[in-house]
Amino acid sequence: MKHLVYLCIIVHVIQLSPAIEAKEILGIFPHFGYSHFKVFYPLLRNLAEAGHNVTVITHIQSSNKLDNYEELLLKQMEVVNIVPLSEWRPRTWNGLLNEYVGLHEEGQESCERLYESGYVQEVLRRHQEIKPYDLVITEYFNSDCQLVVPYLMNTPIVALSSCLLMPWYYDRILLPDTPSFIQSEFIGFSTPLNWFERLTNFLQAKVLSLLYRYHTNQKDNDLIYRHLNVTVDVADIARQQTSIIFGNQHYSLTGTRPQPTSFIEIGGIHIQEKVIDEPMPRDIDDFLQTSGKEGVLFISWGSMIRASTISSDKLTAILKVLERSNLKIIWKWETEEVPVKNDKFLFVKWAPQLTLLCHPKVKLFWGHGGLLGTTEAVYCGKPMILTPIYGDQFVNAHAVENRQIGRILSYDNINDSSLEDALQTVRHSSYAKNAQDISNIFRDRPSKPLETATWWVEYLLRHKRAPEVLHSHAVNLNWFILYSLDSICIIVVTLLLIIFVLKYTLKLMMKICRNKNDEKLKKH
C-alpha cells in the first residue's frame, strides 16, 4: 500500500510537470576566454542532461561529455596566464578607449577564426539538410559576427554575459542604463556617484556604445559579407531576435536596478555546491590543517593574469608584510620558481578555488576583482582585498567595497603601509559579519541560478510565441521618441505659447486700461 501511494505521487508530479520534447540547440562562443566559458558550460550541459541535443562551437573542450553534447572545437588559443601585470593602467579616458580598441581587435580576430573554421557553414548546412535548430545560445561580449546564424535560421537568440553587461548591449532589450547610478562595466566608483563621476559614467557609456554600433558592428557586417556573401545589420538582428539576456550578476553585490523581463540575473551559475566538500590536494589539505586559529589568506589573481610578473618592489613589500602577519598564505603562482620558501607560504599552480574559499580555515581572499572569484568569495562569505587590473574588475571591486565586505588595494599603491592597512581593515569583525550577511542573501533565492536559466530556455522552447511576448516593439523606436522628447517638446512649446498669449493679453488689457484713464483725465 505504501509503495502504491509513492507511485501515485510520482505519477501525479510527472503529470503536473510541463513536458517538452528534445530540441536542437546551437551554442556559438567565438571568444577564447576560459573564465567566460565556465559561466556558459553549466547551462549547456544541463540542457543536454535534460535530453536536448546541444551542439557547441567553442575553444574550450569539456572533460565530461554526453552523447547528445557535441563540440565543434575552434583552433586553440592561449586561454590561461596570458596577461602580465605590466598591462595595468589607471582608469583614464585614454585607457578606456585603448581597452575598447583591444576588445574590438580581439573580437575581430575571434570572428575570423570562427569563419575560417568552416563551422558556421557546417551548422547552416545541417539546419537546411539534416534537422533544423530551434534556438541559438551565444555570448554578448566584444563582437556580433555570429548573429547571422540565428538570422538565417530564423531562431530566437538567448544571450549570455559572463560579466556585467557591456554598455553597447542595453538597447537590445530596452534595459535602462540610467548612468546617474548604474555603473557601466568599464567604470568603478564608490556610491553614491558625485557630479563628475555621473558625467564620466554617462559619457563613456554613450561614447563606447556609439563606437561599438558604428565601428565594431560595421566590421562584423563586412566580415559576414566577405565570408557568406550575405548583407545584414547585426545590430538590427540583435534587436529583433534577442529573447533573453542572462547576466552573471546578482543584486546582493551589484545593487538593484530597473530591468525588463527579458534580462535575468544568474550570478553564481558556475558554482557547483557538490565540489565544496570534495577532498583537496594533499599538500593544500596538510597546509590548512597546520594553520593556527588565525587561519589562512588565499591569494589568487585569476586564470588570465601571470602573478609572477609582479614588480620586484611590490613583491618585496607584500612578502615583508605577510611575513609579519599571523596568517598563513596559500598563493596561486604559475611558475616553478617561487618568491620564498618557508612553512608560512604555500605556492600552488592550481587550487580548487571554491572548495578552498569555503573552507573554515580560510579567513580572507586577495583577488583581482574577476567576477567568478569575487562571486565565489561572496558565496562563501569571506572578506576580500581586491586589486583590479583591467576590464570589469574595477566595477566589481567597488561593488565589494560599497557593500563593506572588502577593500580595494590599487596595484600602483601596493606598499608596506597600504597592505598593512588593508589587512587590518578587512580583519575587523564587522567585515566578516557583513560578508556572511551578503552571502546569506546571495544564496537565498526562489531557485538556483542554473535552474532559473534552464527553466527560461525551456520556456522559450515550449512556447512558440514566447519570443514575440518577450520582445518589445519599442526597440524599433528612435531615441527621440523612446525618451518622449517629442512629447516634452510639444508640452514646452504649448507652455511657451500659453505664456506668450497671456503676456500679450495682459499687455493689451493694461494698454486699454491706461487709455481709459487718459480719456478720463482729459475730460476733467
Side-chain angles (χ1 to χ4, degrees):
M1 183 65 183
K2 186 177 179 181
H3 294 296
L4 182 60
V5 171
Y6 286 154
L7 181 60
C8 289
I9 292 172
I10 291 169
V11 170
H12 182 64
V13 170
I14 291 171
Q15 287 175 339
L16 289 176
S17 300
I20 179 169
E21 62 180 276
K23 298 291 186 178
E24 301 294 320
I25 298 173
L26 175 63
I28 310 177
F29 300 95
H31 183 63
F32 60 86
Y34 173 72
S35 60
H36 289 232
F37 199 70
K38 277 185 70 175
V39 176
F40 314 143
Y41 177 68
L43 174 59
L44 298 167
R45 180 176 175 82
N46 209 45
L47 289 168
E49 289 177 346
H52 303 292
N53 298 311
V54 181
T55 303
V56 184
I57 303 174
T58 176
H59 288 273
I60 314 300
Q61 186 171 13
S62 60
S63 57
N64 191 5
K65 294 181 183 177
L66 300 170
D67 290 340
N68 57 331
Y69 182 89
E70 180 188 9
E71 292 171 338
L72 302 176
L73 291 172
L74 296 167
K75 186 177 179 181
Q76 189 63 39
M77 296 176 68
E78 284 294 325
V79 295
V80 295
N81 300 328
I82 60 173
V83 180
L85 285 166
S86 58
E87 287 198 9
W88 178 88
R89 295 289 184 275
R91 301 308 264 179
T92 62
W93 271 103
N94 185 55
L96 287 172
L97 291 173
N98 286 338
E99 195 159 317
Y100 161 76
V101 170
L103 284 170
H104 166 79
E105 292 174 349
E106 194 177 83
Q108 294 303 301
E109 181 185 355
S110 296
C111 284
E112 289 290 353
R113 288 175 180 268
L114 172 66
Y115 280 89
E116 288 170 1
S117 71
Y119 291 144
V120 168
Q121 295 85 339
E122 172 62 16
V123 294
L124 289 172
R125 183 192 67 80
R126 292 184 188 183
H127 181 76
Q128 290 290 334
E129 300 177 8
I130 302 175
K131 194 170 185 180
Y133 290 100
D134 300 292
L135 184 76
V136 171
I137 302 178
T138 191
E139 178 180 17
Y140 275 178
F141 182 52
N142 61 354
S143 65
D144 293 311
C145 62
Q146 73 277 23
L147 297 189
V148 69
V149 176
Y151 170 75
L152 294 174
M153 293 179 175
N154 194 28
T155 62
I157 298 169
V158 171
L160 289 151
S161 177
S162 65
C163 54
L164 285 183
L165 194 63
M166 293 293 194
W168 43 75
Y169 290 128
Y170 284 53
D171 64 344
R172 298 185 173 187
I173 54 170
L174 295 180
L175 180 66
D177 58 4
T178 323
S180 57
F181 76 99
I182 295 175
Q183 298 189 44
S184 162
E185 193 269 355
F186 287 94
I187 288 293
F189 295 121
S190 299
T191 56
L193 278 63
N194 62 36
W195 175 84
F196 180 76
E197 290 166 346
R198 292 195 302 273
L199 178 63
T200 302
N201 196 36
F202 176 88
L203 288 174
Q204 63 81 33
K206 304 307 178 185
V207 169
L208 295 179
S209 296
L210 288 170
L211 278 172
Y212 188 82
R213 172 69 183 91
Y214 293 104
H215 178 55
T216 297
N217 279 166
Q218 186 55 52
K219 294 293 184 181
D220 291 334
N221 295 337
D222 295 343
L223 185 146
I224 291 167
Y225 183 79
R226 191 168 72 250
H227 285 278
L228 297 181
N229 198 29
V230 176
T231 302
V232 294
D233 179 1
V234 290
D236 187 59
I237 294 170
R239 283 194 298 271
Q240 302 307 321
Q241 291 182 233
T242 301
S243 295
I244 289 172
I245 296 179
F246 290 121
N248 184 29
Q249 60 192 68
H250 190 256
Y251 63 87
S252 60
L253 180 63
T254 55
T256 58
R257 58 175 301 160
Q259 55 195 44
T261 307
S262 48
F263 182 80
I264 300 160
E265 293 186 338
I266 56 166
I269 190 173
H270 72 289
I271 292 174
Q272 301 180 57
E273 293 180 340
K274 64 181 181 181
V275 308
I276 293 173
D277 298 321
E278 287 183 354
M280 278 187 283
R282 182 68 179 271
D283 58 338
I284 295 177
D285 189 55
D286 290 345
F287 188 82
L288 288 169
Q289 297 310 318
T290 58
S291 63
K293 65 177 183 179
E294 299 299 332
V296 171
L297 164 66
F298 175 43
I299 305 175
S300 175
W301 288 359
S303 60
M304 299 282 283
I305 294 173
R306 294 205 303 273
S308 60
T309 60
I310 190 170
S311 62
S312 59
D313 59 324
K314 297 185 191 314
L315 181 58
T316 300
I318 292 170
L319 293 173
K320 183 178 177 181
V321 172
L322 295 182
E323 286 274 14
R324 290 200 302 259
S325 79
N326 53 11
L327 291 164
K328 296 191 79 171
I329 318 298
I330 297 177
W331 196 334
K332 179 183 172 294
W333 192 269
E334 69 279 351
T335 64
E336 295 289 343
E337 185 178 350
V338 297
V340 64
K341 293 181 180 180
N342 61 44
D343 293 340
K344 191 177 181 64
F345 290 85
L346 175 65
F347 292 91
V348 294
K349 289 185 177 180
W350 175 85
Q353 185 163 279
L354 179 63
T355 310
L356 195 52
L357 283 170
C358 283
H359 195 283
K361 288 278 190 176
V362 174
K363 305 298 183 183
L364 302 174
F365 175 54
W366 187 358
H368 65 318
L371 194 52
L372 300 196
T374 302
T375 301
E376 289 169 9
V378 168
Y379 177 88
C380 296
K382 300 299 166 71
M384 292 171 259
I385 296 173
L386 296 176
T387 302
I389 304 299
Y390 64 90
D392 65 327
Q393 295 160 14
F394 293 87
V395 72
N396 298 336
H398 277 279
V400 166
E401 196 167 72
N402 290 332
R403 291 295 190 206
Q404 295 184 315
I405 58 175
R407 279 283 304 274
I408 295 173
L409 178 56
S410 179
Y411 182 73
D412 66 330
N413 192 39
I414 293 177
N415 55 53
D416 295 22
S417 60
S418 63
L419 178 54
E420 192 81 63
D421 180 61
L423 278 172
Q424 186 177 352
T425 300
V426 297
R427 295 185 75 180
H428 191 276
S429 59
S430 63
Y431 275 77
K433 183 182 182 303
N434 291 342
Q436 193 56 59
D437 289 344
I438 296 299
S439 173
N440 293 337
I441 295 169
F442 181 84
R443 295 188 188 205
D444 191 2
R445 313 187 198 186
S447 61
K448 296 185 186 303
L450 182 55
E451 294 169 356
T452 299
T454 303
W455 186 90
W456 275 103
V457 172
E458 292 196 324
Y459 170 82
L460 284 175
L461 295 171
R462 281 196 300 271
H463 304 289
K464 287 186 177 180
R465 294 193 65 182
E468 173 193 340
V469 171
L470 289 169
H471 182 267
S472 172
H473 71 89
V475 297
N476 299 314
L477 298 177
N478 65 53
W479 63 273
F480 194 81
I481 296 173
L482 179 63
Y483 295 107
S484 299
L485 296 182
D486 54 339
S487 299
I488 292 171
C489 285
I490 290 171
I491 292 169
V492 169
V493 169
T494 302
L495 287 173
L496 289 173
L497 284 172
I498 291 171
I499 292 169
F500 176 78
V501 169
L502 286 173
K503 185 178 179 181
Y504 179 79
T505 303
L506 286 171
K507 277 187 174 182
L508 184 61
M509 290 175 67
M510 290 176 66
K511 185 176 180 181
I512 292 171
C513 289
R514 280 199 298 269
N515 289 340
K516 285 184 177 180
N517 288 335
D518 290 344
E519 288 177 6
K520 285 180 181 180
L521 289 171
K522 286 179 180 180
K523 286 180 180 180
H524 291 290

PDB file of all heavy atoms in Angstrom, residues 288-309:
ATOM      1  N   LEU A 288      46.532  23.475   5.394  1.00  0.00           N
ATOM      2  CA  LEU A 288      45.387  24.023   6.132  1.00  0.00           C
ATOM      3  C   LEU A 288      45.316  23.464   7.550  1.00  0.00           C
ATOM      4  O   LEU A 288      45.015  24.190   8.506  1.00  0.00           O
ATOM      5  CB  LEU A 288      44.090  23.709   5.382  1.00  0.00           C
ATOM      6  CG  LEU A 288      43.840  24.480   4.075  1.00  0.00           C
ATOM      7  CD1 LEU A 288      42.664  23.888   3.318  1.00  0.00           C
ATOM      8  CD2 LEU A 288      43.588  25.959   4.356  1.00  0.00           C
ATOM      9  N   GLN A 289      45.570  22.194   7.672  1.00  0.00           N
ATOM     10  CA  GLN A 289      45.459  21.549   8.985  1.00  0.00           C
ATOM     11  C   GLN A 289      46.505  22.072   9.965  1.00  0.00           C
ATOM     12  O   GLN A 289      46.279  22.066  11.182  1.00  0.00           O
ATOM     13  CB  GLN A 289      45.589  20.029   8.840  1.00  0.00           C
ATOM     14  CG  GLN A 289      44.493  19.376   8.003  1.00  0.00           C
ATOM     15  CD  GLN A 289      43.089  19.785   8.427  1.00  0.00           C
ATOM     16  OE1 GLN A 289      42.790  19.872   9.611  1.00  0.00           O
ATOM     17  NE2 GLN A 289      42.222  20.040   7.439  1.00  0.00           N
ATOM     18  N   THR A 290      47.641  22.522   9.446  1.00  0.00           N
ATOM     19  CA  THR A 290      48.705  23.014  10.330  1.00  0.00           C
ATOM     20  C   THR A 290      48.594  24.507  10.620  1.00  0.00           C
ATOM     21  O   THR A 290      49.399  25.059  11.367  1.00  0.00           O
ATOM     22  CB  THR A 290      50.086  22.738   9.714  1.00  0.00           C
ATOM     23  OG1 THR A 290      50.171  23.369   8.428  1.00  0.00           O
ATOM     24  CG2 THR A 290      50.316  21.242   9.566  1.00  0.00           C
ATOM     25  N   SER A 291      47.595  25.176   9.999  1.00  0.00           N
ATOM     26  CA  SER A 291      47.422  26.605  10.254  1.00  0.00           C
ATOM     27  C   SER A 291      46.752  26.803  11.611  1.00  0.00           C
ATOM     28  O   SER A 291      45.943  25.996  12.054  1.00  0.00           O
ATOM     29  CB  SER A 291      46.576  27.250   9.158  1.00  0.00           C
ATOM     30  OG  SER A 291      45.272  26.698   9.159  1.00  0.00           O
ATOM     31  N   GLY A 292      47.073  27.876  12.280  1.00  0.00           N
ATOM     32  CA  GLY A 292      46.520  28.157  13.602  1.00  0.00           C
ATOM     33  C   GLY A 292      45.122  28.719  13.536  1.00  0.00           C
ATOM     34  O   GLY A 292      44.481  28.754  12.476  1.00  0.00           O
ATOM     35  N   LYS A 293      44.653  29.218  14.665  1.00  0.00           N
ATOM     36  CA  LYS A 293      43.280  29.738  14.726  1.00  0.00           C
ATOM     37  C   LYS A 293      43.123  31.019  13.905  1.00  0.00           C
ATOM     38  O   LYS A 293      42.011  31.382  13.523  1.00  0.00           O
ATOM     39  CB  LYS A 293      42.882  29.989  16.177  1.00  0.00           C
ATOM     40  CG  LYS A 293      43.684  31.070  16.869  1.00  0.00           C
ATOM     41  CD  LYS A 293      43.170  31.294  18.275  1.00  0.00           C
ATOM     42  CE  LYS A 293      43.933  32.435  18.953  1.00  0.00           C
ATOM     43  NZ  LYS A 293      43.432  32.702  20.320  1.00  0.00           N
ATOM     44  N   GLU A 294      44.230  31.726  13.634  1.00  0.00           N
ATOM     45  CA  GLU A 294      44.140  32.950  12.824  1.00  0.00           C
ATOM     46  C   GLU A 294      43.810  32.639  11.370  1.00  0.00           C
ATOM     47  O   GLU A 294      43.299  33.483  10.653  1.00  0.00           O
ATOM     48  CB  GLU A 294      45.451  33.731  12.904  1.00  0.00           C
ATOM     49  CG  GLU A 294      45.811  34.192  14.299  1.00  0.00           C
ATOM     50  CD  GLU A 294      44.770  35.126  14.891  1.00  0.00           C
ATOM     51  OE1 GLU A 294      44.097  35.822  14.095  1.00  0.00           O
ATOM     52  OE2 GLU A 294      44.635  35.165  16.116  1.00  0.00           O
ATOM     53  N   GLY A 295      44.137  31.427  10.934  1.00  0.00           N
ATOM     54  CA  GLY A 295      43.715  30.973   9.619  1.00  0.00           C
ATOM     55  C   GLY A 295      44.643  31.348   8.472  1.00  0.00           C
ATOM     56  O   GLY A 295      45.810  31.700   8.669  1.00  0.00           O
ATOM     57  N   VAL A 296      44.056  31.293   7.260  1.00  0.00           N
ATOM     58  CA  VAL A 296      44.823  31.390   6.017  1.00  0.00           C
ATOM     59  C   VAL A 296      44.299  32.528   5.141  1.00  0.00           C
ATOM     60  O   VAL A 296      43.089  32.751   5.053  1.00  0.00           O
ATOM     61  CB  VAL A 296      44.743  30.058   5.237  1.00  0.00           C
ATOM     62  CG1 VAL A 296      45.337  30.180   3.842  1.00  0.00           C
ATOM     63  CG2 VAL A 296      45.442  28.945   6.020  1.00  0.00           C
ATOM     64  N   LEU A 297      45.231  33.221   4.509  1.00  0.00           N
ATOM     65  CA  LEU A 297      44.909  34.174   3.442  1.00  0.00           C
ATOM     66  C   LEU A 297      45.153  33.470   2.113  1.00  0.00           C
ATOM     67  O   LEU A 297      46.253  32.966   1.869  1.00  0.00           O
ATOM     68  CB  LEU A 297      45.794  35.418   3.553  1.00  0.00           C
ATOM     69  CG  LEU A 297      45.853  36.344   2.321  1.00  0.00           C
ATOM     70  CD1 LEU A 297      44.496  36.996   2.058  1.00  0.00           C
ATOM     71  CD2 LEU A 297      46.942  37.400   2.488  1.00  0.00           C
ATOM     72  N   PHE A 298      44.130  33.431   1.263  1.00  0.00           N
ATOM     73  CA  PHE A 298      44.270  32.817  -0.060  1.00  0.00           C
ATOM     74  C   PHE A 298      44.423  33.927  -1.090  1.00  0.00           C
ATOM     75  O   PHE A 298      43.593  34.835  -1.175  1.00  0.00           O
ATOM     76  CB  PHE A 298      43.049  31.952  -0.370  1.00  0.00           C
ATOM     77  CG  PHE A 298      43.035  31.375  -1.754  1.00  0.00           C
ATOM     78  CD1 PHE A 298      44.179  30.822  -2.324  1.00  0.00           C
ATOM     79  CD2 PHE A 298      41.862  31.365  -2.509  1.00  0.00           C
ATOM     80  CE1 PHE A 298      44.168  30.291  -3.598  1.00  0.00           C
ATOM     81  CE2 PHE A 298      41.826  30.823  -3.791  1.00  0.00           C
ATOM     82  CZ  PHE A 298      42.986  30.292  -4.328  1.00  0.00           C
ATOM     83  N   ILE A 299      45.509  33.860  -1.873  1.00  0.00           N
ATOM     84  CA  ILE A 299      45.776  34.864  -2.912  1.00  0.00           C
ATOM     85  C   ILE A 299      45.660  34.207  -4.279  1.00  0.00           C
ATOM     86  O   ILE A 299      46.354  33.228  -4.572  1.00  0.00           O
ATOM     87  CB  ILE A 299      47.188  35.473  -2.763  1.00  0.00           C
ATOM     88  CG1 ILE A 299      47.388  36.055  -1.362  1.00  0.00           C
ATOM     89  CG2 ILE A 299      47.424  36.543  -3.820  1.00  0.00           C
ATOM     90  CD1 ILE A 299      48.798  36.573  -1.104  1.00  0.00           C
ATOM     91  N   SER A 300      44.783  34.747  -5.102  1.00  0.00           N
ATOM     92  CA  SER A 300      44.656  34.269  -6.484  1.00  0.00           C
ATOM     93  C   SER A 300      44.160  35.404  -7.350  1.00  0.00           C
ATOM     94  O   SER A 300      43.110  35.995  -7.071  1.00  0.00           O
ATOM     95  CB  SER A 300      43.682  33.088  -6.572  1.00  0.00           C
ATOM     96  OG  SER A 300      43.474  32.715  -7.926  1.00  0.00           O
ATOM     97  N   TRP A 301      44.919  35.701  -8.406  1.00  0.00           N
ATOM     98  CA  TRP A 301      44.544  36.766  -9.327  1.00  0.00           C
ATOM     99  C   TRP A 301      44.045  36.202 -10.655  1.00  0.00           C
ATOM    100  O   TRP A 301      44.264  36.773 -11.718  1.00  0.00           O
ATOM    101  CB  TRP A 301      45.722  37.731  -9.530  1.00  0.00           C
ATOM    102  CG  TRP A 301      45.960  38.576  -8.308  1.00  0.00           C
ATOM    103  CD1 TRP A 301      45.243  38.554  -7.143  1.00  0.00           C
ATOM    104  CD2 TRP A 301      46.964  39.574  -8.127  1.00  0.00           C
ATOM    105  NE1 TRP A 301      45.736  39.464  -6.250  1.00  0.00           N
ATOM    106  CE2 TRP A 301      46.811  40.112  -6.821  1.00  0.00           C
ATOM    107  CE3 TRP A 301      47.990  40.060  -8.916  1.00  0.00           C
ATOM    108  CZ2 TRP A 301      47.630  41.113  -6.305  1.00  0.00           C
ATOM    109  CZ3 TRP A 301      48.815  41.060  -8.403  1.00  0.00           C
ATOM    110  CH2 TRP A 301      48.632  41.584  -7.121  1.00  0.00           C
ATOM    111  N   GLY A 302      43.355  35.079 -10.566  1.00  0.00           N
ATOM    112  CA  GLY A 302      42.624  34.551 -11.704  1.00  0.00           C
ATOM    113  C   GLY A 302      43.447  33.691 -12.646  1.00  0.00           C
ATOM    114  O   GLY A 302      44.646  33.473 -12.460  1.00  0.00           O
ATOM    115  N   SER A 303      42.752  33.230 -13.691  1.00  0.00           N
ATOM    116  CA  SER A 303      43.370  32.311 -14.653  1.00  0.00           C
ATOM    117  C   SER A 303      44.118  33.031 -15.765  1.00  0.00           C
ATOM    118  O   SER A 303      44.936  32.431 -16.457  1.00  0.00           O
ATOM    119  CB  SER A 303      42.286  31.415 -15.269  1.00  0.00           C
ATOM    120  OG  SER A 303      41.318  32.203 -15.951  1.00  0.00           O
ATOM    121  N   MET A 304      43.857  34.323 -15.949  1.00  0.00           N
ATOM    122  CA  MET A 304      44.456  35.062 -17.066  1.00  0.00           C
ATOM    123  C   MET A 304      45.752  35.781 -16.683  1.00  0.00           C
ATOM    124  O   MET A 304      46.666  35.901 -17.492  1.00  0.00           O
ATOM    125  CB  MET A 304      43.453  36.090 -17.597  1.00  0.00           C
ATOM    126  CG  MET A 304      42.157  35.500 -18.135  1.00  0.00           C
ATOM    127  SD  MET A 304      42.333  34.789 -19.764  1.00  0.00           S
ATOM    128  CE  MET A 304      42.343  36.261 -20.772  1.00  0.00           C
ATOM    129  N   ILE A 305      45.827  36.257 -15.443  1.00  0.00           N
ATOM    130  CA  ILE A 305      46.955  37.097 -15.030  1.00  0.00           C
ATOM    131  C   ILE A 305      48.133  36.241 -14.578  1.00  0.00           C
ATOM    132  O   ILE A 305      47.955  35.275 -13.837  1.00  0.00           O
ATOM    133  CB  ILE A 305      46.518  38.050 -13.904  1.00  0.00           C
ATOM    134  CG1 ILE A 305      45.491  39.050 -14.443  1.00  0.00           C
ATOM    135  CG2 ILE A 305      47.709  38.787 -13.313  1.00  0.00           C
ATOM    136  CD1 ILE A 305      44.865  39.927 -13.386  1.00  0.00           C
ATOM    137  N   ARG A 306      49.325  36.630 -15.009  1.00  0.00           N
ATOM    138  CA  ARG A 306      50.550  35.958 -14.569  1.00  0.00           C
ATOM    139  C   ARG A 306      51.054  36.645 -13.301  1.00  0.00           C
ATOM    140  O   ARG A 306      51.674  37.716 -13.363  1.00  0.00           O
ATOM    141  CB  ARG A 306      51.614  35.995 -15.662  1.00  0.00           C
ATOM    142  CG  ARG A 306      51.250  35.203 -16.895  1.00  0.00           C
ATOM    143  CD  ARG A 306      52.497  34.748 -17.660  1.00  0.00           C
ATOM    144  NE  ARG A 306      53.368  35.841 -18.047  1.00  0.00           N
ATOM    145  CZ  ARG A 306      53.243  36.546 -19.171  1.00  0.00           C
ATOM    146  NH1 ARG A 306      52.256  36.256 -20.017  1.00  0.00           N
ATOM    147  NH2 ARG A 306      54.093  37.509 -19.467  1.00  0.00           N
ATOM    148  N   ALA A 307      50.798  36.036 -12.166  1.00  0.00           N
ATOM    149  CA  ALA A 307      51.191  36.632 -10.880  1.00  0.00           C
ATOM    150  C   ALA A 307      52.694  36.833 -10.788  1.00  0.00           C
ATOM    151  O   ALA A 307      53.177  37.769 -10.133  1.00  0.00           O
ATOM    152  CB  ALA A 307      50.697  35.751  -9.737  1.00  0.00           C
ATOM    153  N   SER A 308      53.459  35.976 -11.467  1.00  0.00           N
ATOM    154  CA  SER A 308      54.922  36.044 -11.393  1.00  0.00           C
ATOM    155  C   SER A 308      55.500  37.284 -12.070  1.00  0.00           C
ATOM    156  O   SER A 308      56.701  37.567 -11.932  1.00  0.00           O
ATOM    157  CB  SER A 308      55.541  34.791 -12.019  1.00  0.00           C
ATOM    158  OG  SER A 308      55.157  34.672 -13.381  1.00  0.00           O
ATOM    159  N   THR A 309      54.678  38.055 -12.788  1.00  0.00           N
ATOM    160  CA  THR A 309      55.176  39.262 -13.447  1.00  0.00           C
ATOM    161  C   THR A 309      55.084  40.494 -12.555  1.00  0.00           C
ATOM    162  O   THR A 309      55.345  41.607 -13.010  1.00  0.00           O
ATOM    163  CB  THR A 309      54.392  39.523 -14.757  1.00  0.00           C
ATOM    164  OG1 THR A 309      52.996  39.700 -14.451  1.00  0.00           O
ATOM    165  CG2 THR A 309      54.549  38.371 -15.723  1.00  0.00           C
TER     166      THR A 309
END
